[in-house]
Structure formats: C-alpha cells, structure tokens
C-alpha cells in the first residue's frame, strides 16, 4: 500500500530540523505529488494571523492566482470554517468552488489543527474524476497531524 510506504518518508521530512518549516512542507508536497499518480496539485494554505482569510503556502503544481482565499469561499474557505474534511469527487457539481485549472476534476481538503485550533489545511487537486477514498482521508489526516507537530 503506497500510503503505508509514504508515512515513514513524511516522518523523516518532518523530523529534519536542518530544514526550515517551509522547506519541509514543500518536501511533503513533492513526495505526495511524485508518488501518488492522481495527486496533481498539492499545497498548503494557512490562516493569515487573526484575519478570516487563508494564504497560500508551499505547493507543487501549476501556479495559482488564488494566493489569498477569504473564509467561506471555495472548498478551502469552507474547510477553514467547518473544521471538517471536504472530499469533492466532481468539482463541476460544486457551486462554491474556486477553479484554479480547467484540468482539475476532483479535490480534497483536510484541516490542520494545532492545539485544537484549525490553522490551515492541505489541499490536493486531481485531474482524475472521483479518485479519493477514505484511505486518502486517513493518510492525509496523518500528514496533517505530523505537520501540526512542527507548527506548535
Ligand atoms: N479549488 C480551491 C482553490 C484552491 S486551488 O485548488 C489551488 C477552492 O475551491 O477552494
């Protein structure tokens, strides 16, 4: 199972204190995008201080214009408010969706909690329709809990 093989790689990246937090987050994006064929854009968004908006952090994939996302807007902005995973099998069926690329068919966003507070999220776009399962959710929750360890 690819996820079980990737978990130790994520742990190694996280525990490498020689690299900055952003370097480690970028390394996580790279390892996920490289090894999971239906992960085509992988990035982090984080809350901008006390403002009700998200700022784009490290990512791999096509550059996006959406470097600032207000709370409530798009899939990412909804997760900032709901504190829940959001799995979108078909982005064209979503009213409150911010399109970054016409090739994207599906999206998954998992919140990151530090001391119980939703401080950001990992966002993954897929060019494959309906590719995400509960195994992706469990794996990405693991990734987010690892990330939360270095953001405390
Ligand atoms: N599609 C997201 C916007 C971010 S991009 O996918 C990189 C959304 O609806 O919030």
């Amino acid at each position: 199972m690819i996820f079980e093989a990737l978990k130790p790689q994520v742990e190694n990246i996280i525990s490498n204190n020689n690299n900055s937090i952003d370097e480690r987050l970028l390394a996580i994006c790279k390892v996920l995008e490289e090894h999971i064929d239906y992960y085509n854009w992988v990035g982090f968004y984080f809350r901008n201080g006390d403002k009700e908006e998200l700022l784009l952090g490290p990512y791999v994939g096509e550059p996006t214009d959406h470097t600032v996302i207000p709370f409530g807007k798009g899939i990412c902005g909804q997760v900032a408010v709901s504190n829940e995973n959001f799995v979108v099998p078909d982005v064209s069926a979503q009213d409150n969706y911010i399109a970054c690329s016409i090739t994207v068919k599906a999206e998954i966003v998992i919140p990151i909690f530090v001391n119980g507070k939703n401080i950001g999220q990992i966002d993954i776009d897929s060019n494959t329709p309906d590719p995400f399962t509960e195994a992706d959710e469990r794996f990405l929750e693991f990734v987010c809990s690892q990330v939360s360890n270095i953001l405390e």
Side-chain angles (χ1 to χ4, degrees):
M1 184 57 167
I2 183 73
F3 294 135
E4 290 310 309
L6 289 176
K7 281 182 178 180
Q9 294 196 44
V10 170
E11 285 171 330
N12 282 341
I13 291 167
I14 287 291
S15 61
N16 185 350
N17 296 322
N18 294 322
N19 289 340
S20 70
I21 286 174
D22 275 2
E23 284 168 339
R24 285 180 265 175
L25 295 178
L26 181 62
I28 288 174
C29 295
K30 283 183 179 160
V31 88
L32 268 51
E33 193 269 341
E34 272 169 21
H35 289 92
I36 305 171
D37 56 2
Y38 56 93
Y39 285 17
N40 302 112
W41 189 98
V42 180
F44 290 94
Y45 282 93
F46 292 104
R47 184 174 186 154
N48 183 13
D50 285 337
K51 291 192 189 164
E52 300 217 321
E53 66 183 22
L54 297 163
L55 296 182
L56 180 62
Y59 71 95
V60 295
E62 271 184 55
T64 173
D65 291 338
H66 304 290
T67 55
V68 182
I69 298 180
F71 276 27
K73 300 280 183 204
I75 308 303
C76 296
Q78 291 178 77
V79 169
V81 177
S82 72
N83 306 322
E84 308 257 352
N85 297 349
F86 200 155
V87 182
V88 182
D90 174 7
V91 294
S92 73
Q94 292 291 319
D95 291 334
N96 189 357
Y97 169 70
I98 303 167
C100 286
S101 159
I102 52 162
T103 62
V104 174
K105 299 284 196 295
E107 179 163 4
I108 185 169
V109 178
I110 308 290
I112 300 168
F113 298 98
V114 172
N115 299 324
K117 215 175 139 210
N118 180 350
I119 56 88
Q121 51 195 238
I122 191 166
D123 175 22
I124 292 159
D125 286 340
S126 181
N127 299 336
T128 302
D130 195 8
F132 303 115
T133 68
E134 286 187 15
D136 292 273
E137 288 189 72
R138 297 295 88 74
F139 171 65
L140 293 169
E141 285 165 358
F142 168 84
V143 172
C144 287
S145 74
Q146 287 287 310
V147 167
S148 122
N149 289 336
I150 55 169
L151 297 178
E152 274 170 28

